[in-house]
Every structure is written in structure tokens, then in C-alpha cells.
Amino acid sequence: MAVLVIADHDNALVRETTHKTVTAALKISPDVDILVAGQGAKGAADQAAKISGVRKVLLAESDALGQGIAEAFEALVTPLMANYDAVLTPATSQGKNLSPRIAAKLDVSQISDVIEVVDAKTFVRPIYAGNALETVQSADAKQVLTVRPTVFQPAGEGGSATVESIDAGPGAAKTEFVSQELVKSERPELSGAKIVVSGGRAMGSAEEFQRVIEPLADKLGAAIGASRAAVDAGYAPGDSQVGQTGKVVAPELYVAIGISGAIQHLAGMKDSKVIVAINKDGDAPIFQVADYGLVADYKTAIPELMDALAKIGK
Amino acid sequence: MKLLVPVKRVIDYNVKARVKADQSGVDLANVKMSMNPFCEIAVEEAIRQKEKGTATEVVVVSIGPVQAQETLRTALAMGADRALLVQTDQDLEPLAVAKVLQAVIAEEGPELVLMGKQAIDGDNNATGQMLSTLLGWPQATFAFKLEIEGGKAKVTREVDGGLQTLEVTLPAVVTADLRLNEPRYASLPNIMKAKKKTLDVRELASYGVDTTPRLKVLKVSEPAGRKGGIKVETAADLVDKLKTEAGVL
Ligand SMILES: Cc1cc2nc3c(=O)[nH]c(=O)nc-3n(C[C@H](O)[C@H](O)[C@H](O)COP(=O)(O)OP(=O)(O)OC[C@H]3O[C@@H](n4cnc5c(N)ncnc54)[C@H](O)[C@@H]3O)c2cc1C
Ligand SMILES: Nc1ncnc2c1ncn2[C@@H]1O[C@H](COP(=O)(O)O)[C@@H](O)[C@H]1O
């Protein structure tokens, strides 16, 4: 009984979400293969081959795969599933985009956002913004899962799997790629960052968000997150939204500044190891999950925090 | 052009779900229910397309209990033209919902299905992608912007790292993300008008779709709670605690 992991990568490198998904896959079966689908993705495939515990890497390349077209992934993966009992994809925006298609094609259920593999057919997943955990047992012949990467340890390096090039499949006739605007940043990626600094509606403007959040994030070597309110108001880009319907993060340290702590926000950060909240309202719900709360106006608290960090050499 | 918008009745987004003591599920007795917020965004977008003249009719459909009629009435009050309730007390999995929607679409013949990216009860984020697959129509998920022209939909999507724009040939399935629009509130006159709009009810069984669950829920449990910690007085105290007590700096 073999299992396929669809890699999350940028063609040059595989992201750590892939290593974490491999860990989940190894709980289902010792025979784990990785599919690297993209364009010019040999680098990512070679790197995937070094993940320990991996049996084989399949490399498929085409323009449509490189553009992340979901239909192209479905057309590629569905026939491969003759050889596998399960397919796992990290629950990134791309994983969520493509994985249900494979399930529908195979006429099986998808189990979204798996946080625990109980056995090869039984999984735990959060529902209702993480306010309940559902343990489900599948009656389907094959399993299609998306995996919440934050809860699994990354598989190590040191493997030496073979890389096998395979046919890229027929692509997607009715979908045309127009353009992509990716935000370039020198900062760590939000979902894998060790420290996250997030700002909320309190910032009041994009300029203020940058003025307050960026220097602090730089000082801590942190990724930048935001509440939905901050994103909706245009203070921060869409993919920095942390929460039920944005990104789920679980860093060592999460700093929430001027964020009230709505259910939907908590869903995306409450598994962080240490949570700090800075909010001028001592009754804000964010304090119910914060390990360290500072009731203060951020306008005075952040400069003081910067000074205090400087004193310890940050 | 006809637009179909599937809408789901779910726990209101302001309500914190509570797990039943016997771990059989989430307690929904006497809990406020509303239209899934992403479905609201999809309804709003459909109405805007009609206002712009790209769409001629907006049909809303819900699969659910008799109370889902309220949800459909809300959509009608926002401006949808007609509603269909596929009535069932069974809680369907996304694959089954997609199959029922496929059967509805075979009868209704819309050129575009606009739906939510995610229902905030099950948090599956799967039905739209599955429906697109079953229909063999292209998909554009997590829509941030939608333009319809010349038999195509140009959709800018929210993806990890930024935005992506795709052009899909109609008919297609588009799922709405949070920033596609801000849904309107229904005005009182429109709520009154909605009472006269057509709301058909059909039994799920009449579609002849196999909706047998594939997943058995063994239990629904409460997540490990997180205790609130302490309040610190100053930023300097905070840094000190983070360094010496928490060890994260
Ligand atoms: C379908 C749906 C999905 C959603 N998904 C998400 C999601 O994924 N992520 C998410 O975050 N939200 C999400 N939300 C929105 C969520 O419900 C809240 O509206 C949002 O999180 C609020 O953002 P906020 O905390 O920045 O703003 P507010 O709730 O307005 O809080 C601002 C806080 O700043 C504090 N403040 C103000 N001024 C200062 C100051 N000078 N100094 C210090 N503190 C100050 C205030 O006391 C307040 O607590 C979703 C909502 C819906 C309906
Ligand atoms: N029972 C239902 N009736 C109508 N539409 C539904 C139903 N369940 C899901 N949907 C649609 O599918 C979207 C995504 O739901 P899900 O895949 O369950 O997260 C929702 O926003 C709705 O548009």
C-alpha cells in the first residue's frame, strides 16, 4: 500500500510543508513517493529525493503545471492513483485548489486539513474554526487528504530516492493563465516562520502598518501576518491574513498587535507556542489565549518594545 | 446568461461552536444560524453581474433542512430572482453536495456557478472544486475579482504569495473569497418583495443521487484549551519574560 505526496515547491526548491506532509504520509505507509509537478522543476525534484523516508520522486513538467492549473494536476494525478492508496497534499491555497478535484475524479471523499493520522483510514481534522475536532473513518477505497502542515514535524534530509520523469498529462483546455503577481519579500514565509508579528485594524492605514509592524518584524527576523480587518482595509496583502479562512500558523512566538482576537483569527494562530498580545482594551478576547498580555496603546508600547529588544542585542 | 448560486445555512459566524457532551457532534440546538458568509459574497457577486447586464437571471439553491428556506429568502431579499430548496435532514458531505448540484444544474442549465470557497461549519473548501470536476467545467477558486466577457470569465484569485489571474471558458465554476465584494444588506421593501418570489422545494430523493456518507464520524471532541497567561506591566517586562521564562528570543 503506497502513498503519494504532491510537493509544494517553487520549481527550484521544495517548501518545508512538503517535508511535513511526508511525515503525515509515513504514518499511513512506509512506501511514500513524491510528485513534483511544475516547469523547470528538476531542482525541486532533486531536493525532494533527499527527504528521508521517500521511496521515489516523480517529476512531471509542463507550462500548465508550472502555472498551477488545478485541472492539469487532476489530469496528471488521477491515472497515477492506480498505483497508490492515498494522496496527500499540504493544505496550502494550491493544495486546496487541486486536491478535491482528484477526490471527485476518484469518486471518493476528501478529508480536509488533517491534523492527526490515527490509522490508514482514520483521521482527525478541525471543524467550526477549530472549535471542534472531528475524528472520521473513511469507507472509501482510496484516501485523498489535505494536511495541515503546522502540526507535523518536517521529515529530515538524508534520503537518496530516484527521480523518474513522467508524462505531464493533457493539461487544461478551458483554462488560460493570464498573469501572476507575487509579493517579493526577504522575510521568512508566514506559514513556516519561527516568529510572526501580526497587525490588526488598530493600525488605521497601510503607512502606519508598515511603520509599526515592519521594523519590529525585521528586528525579530519575523514574518508579517495580519487580521482580516487589516487586509480588507488594504493595510497588508491578502496572503498575510491569519485565520480560519486565511493562513494557519504555529510559530514559536506570535505577536498580535491591535488585534481583538475574533474566533476566526484565533483559529489561525492559537496553536502557536507562545502568544503575545498588545491591545489597549484589557477585555479583548485575544488576552484569553495570550501567554503574555500587555494592555497598552501600541503607539507607545511598540517604541518601548523596540528599545527593550535593542537592550538585549536584538 | 443564467447564474446559479448554491448557498448553505450554517452556524452564524459570531457564534462559538460548542461540542456536545457525548462527543456526537456540535450542539446546534437554539444556536443562531445564518447564510454562510462566503455564500453571501457569491450571491452579492451574482446580483452585481445582473445589475451590470452580464447576467439575466440569478437562481439560488440550498441543500438542507426546511429551515434553509430562510437562508434562501435572505438571498431573494438581496436580489436573487428565484430559489430552490433541495430538502433533506441528512448532513451531506461535499462530494454528495456536488453530485446533487450537478443534477440541479442539468435541469437549470446555468452558464456560471458562483459559490462560496468554504462553508464555515465543516471548513472543507472542497465542493466547488468537486462540482467543477464532475461537470467537466473549468474552475476558478478563491476569486478576488471577476469579469465576464465574450463567453469567458477572467478571474483574479487569492493565492499563497499574491494574486493569480486566469481566464476560463464558460460554463465554469467560480468560488468566492472574502475580498470579492462586500455583501449588501437587504432593505425592508426588498425583504417584503422577496416573500412573493418563487421558492420551490423538492425532496432530495427525487434527484436519484447516491448521497451515502463515505465518512463515519467516530467522535467530535473539544480541542485542548489554551489558558490565558499573565499580563505584564511594561514592554521591558515583556522582553524579559520572553527571554528568560519563555526562551523564545
Ligand atoms: C467568513 C469570515 C471569515 C473570516 N476569516 C478571518 C480570518 O481568517 N482571519 C481574521 O483575522 N479574521 C477573519 N474574519 C474576521 C473576524 O471576524 C474579525 O472581524 C477580524 O479578525 C477583526 O480584525 P481586528 O482584530 O484587526 O479588528 P477589530 O476587531 O476591530 O480589533 C481591533 C483591536 O485593536 C485594538 N486597538 C485599537 N486601537 C489600538 C491602539 N492604539 N493600541 C492597541 N490596541 C488598539 C482594539 O482594542 C481592538 O481590540 C472572518 C470573518 C468572516 C465573517
Ligand atoms: N448543503 C449545501 N447547499 C448548498 N450549497 C452548499 C452546500 N454545502 C456546500 N455548498 C456550497 O459549497 C461551498 C463550499 O462548501 P464546503 O466545500 O463545504 O466548504 C459553500 O460556500 C456553498 O456555496
Side-chain angles (χ1 to χ4, degrees), chain A residues 200-201 227-228 241-243 245 258 260 264-265 279-280 297-298:
Chain A
R201 195 198 307 269
S227 70
R228 174 190 175 184
Q241 180 181 311
V242 171
T245 60
S260 60
Q264 292 85 4
H265 190 79
N279 194 307
K280 69 176 183 190
D297 190 321
Y298 79 81

Side-chain angles (χ1 to χ4, degrees), chain A residues 231-250:
Chain A
V231 174
D232 281 4
Y235 309 165
D239 79 316
S240 57
Q241 180 181 311
V242 171
Q244 179 187 16
T245 60
K247 285 216 172 85
V248 176
V249 301

Side-chain angles (χ1 to χ4, degrees), chain B residues 6-8 36 39 61-63 97 115-116 118-119 124-127:
Chain B
V7 298
K8 189 175 189 192
N36 178 41
C39 300
V61 52
S62 191
I63 305 158
V97 173
M115 53 206 288
Q118 179 173 341
N124 281 298
N125 194 334
T127 308

Side-chain angles (χ1 to χ4, degrees), chain A residues 67 71 93 97 101 107 125 128 133 135 137 139 174 176 179 181 183 232 239 241 272 290-293, chain B residues 99 117 121-122 132 136 139 141 160-161 163-165 167 179 214 216 218-219 221 226 229 232 245:
Chain A
Q67 292 155 351
E71 290 87 337
S93 68
N97 189 37
R101 299 192 64 90
D107 192 34
R125 57 178 300 262
Y128 290 88
L133 303 178
T135 305
Q137 186 176 52
K174 294 180 221 165
E176 213 172 307
S179 62
E181 296 161 52
V183 185
D232 281 4
D239 79 316
Q241 180 181 311
S272 304
D291 300 285
Y292 301 104
Chain B
K99 287 181 178 179
K117 81 160 178 181
D121 50 1
S132 149
Q139 81 177 29
T141 52
D160 286 345
L163 295 172
Q164 181 195 56
T165 304
E167 198 165 68
R179 282 162 282 276
R214 308 298 185 82
K216 187 169 157 196
L218 301 183
K219 70 171 179 191
S221 57
R226 192 176 178 115
V232 293
E245 199 175 273

Side-chain angles (χ1 to χ4, degrees), chain B:
Chain B
M1 178 170 81
K2 190 192 230 181
L3 297 189
L4 187 92
V5 186
V7 298
K8 189 175 189 192
R9 176 179 182 267
V10 299
I11 189 168
D12 186 83
Y13 81 95
N14 273 314
V15 179
K16 185 173 177 205
R18 306 226 172 265
V19 171
K20 286 189 200 162
D22 66 358
Q23 299 203 323
S24 63
V26 163
D27 193 357
L28 293 178
N30 302 317
V31 165
K32 184 175 178 211
M33 305 290 280
S34 302
M35 191 189 310
N36 178 41
F38 288 99
C39 300
E40 243 180 322
I41 297 171
V43 171
E44 173 66 33
E45 193 63 20
I47 296 165
R48 288 188 191 187
Q49 293 298 335
K50 194 181 161 191
E51 287 166 349
K52 269 195 247 172
T54 38
T56 49
E57 191 187 15
V58 176
V59 180
V60 287
V61 52
S62 191
I63 305 158
V66 63
Q67 295 89 332
Q69 289 194 24
E70 289 164 27
T71 312
L72 290 167
R73 287 282 172 213
T74 305
L76 293 172
M78 286 172 74
D81 296 297
R82 192 157 61 75
L84 169 66
L85 171 65
V86 180
Q87 196 173 318
T88 173
D89 288 328
Q90 204 191 328
D91 193 11
L92 300 189
E93 291 166 9
L95 181 65
V97 173
K99 287 181 178 179
V100 176
L101 290 174
Q102 184 185 20
V104 170
I105 286 160
E107 291 181 5
E108 289 283 346
E111 272 174 275
L112 179 66
V113 179
L114 254 168
M115 53 206 288
K117 81 160 178 181
Q118 179 173 341
I120 61 161
D121 50 1
D123 283 333
N124 281 298
N125 194 334
T127 308
Q129 297 87 317
M130 289 180 157
L131 177 62
S132 149
T133 310
L134 297 178
L135 292 167
W137 295 2
Q139 81 177 29
T141 52
F142 322 151
F144 171 81
K145 191 170 164 209
L146 166 67
E147 294 165 289
I148 298 169
E149 216 193 299
K152 296 196 168 185
K154 193 164 150 190
V155 184
T156 301
R157 312 175 47 237
E158 290 206 29
V159 297
D160 286 345
L163 295 172
Q164 181 195 56
T165 304
L166 298 178
E167 198 165 68
V168 293
T169 306
L170 299 179
V173 176
V174 173
T175 74
D177 214 321
L178 287 173
R179 282 162 282 276
L180 183 58
N181 60 49
E182 252 182 74
R184 70 193 68 189
Y185 291 101
S187 66
L188 195 59
N190 286 343
I191 293 172
M192 298 315 289
K193 262 194 252 168
K195 293 193 172 145
K196 298 205 189 74
K197 291 184 181 174
T198 309
L199 194 167
D200 291 317
V201 179
R202 267 181 65 180
E203 284 297 323
L204 173 65
S206 72
Y207 287 95
V209 175
D210 179 7
T211 57
T212 316
R214 308 298 185 82
L215 302 178
K216 187 169 157 196
V217 179
L218 301 183
K219 70 171 179 191
V220 174
S221 57
E222 207 164 317
R226 192 176 178 115
K227 280 195 263 12
I230 58 161
K231 295 253 170 75
V232 293
E233 291 301 320
T234 66
D237 289 350
L238 176 61
V239 169
D240 182 53
K241 296 271 188 217
L242 290 177
K243 193 170 162 68
T244 55
E245 199 175 273
V248 288
L249 287 182

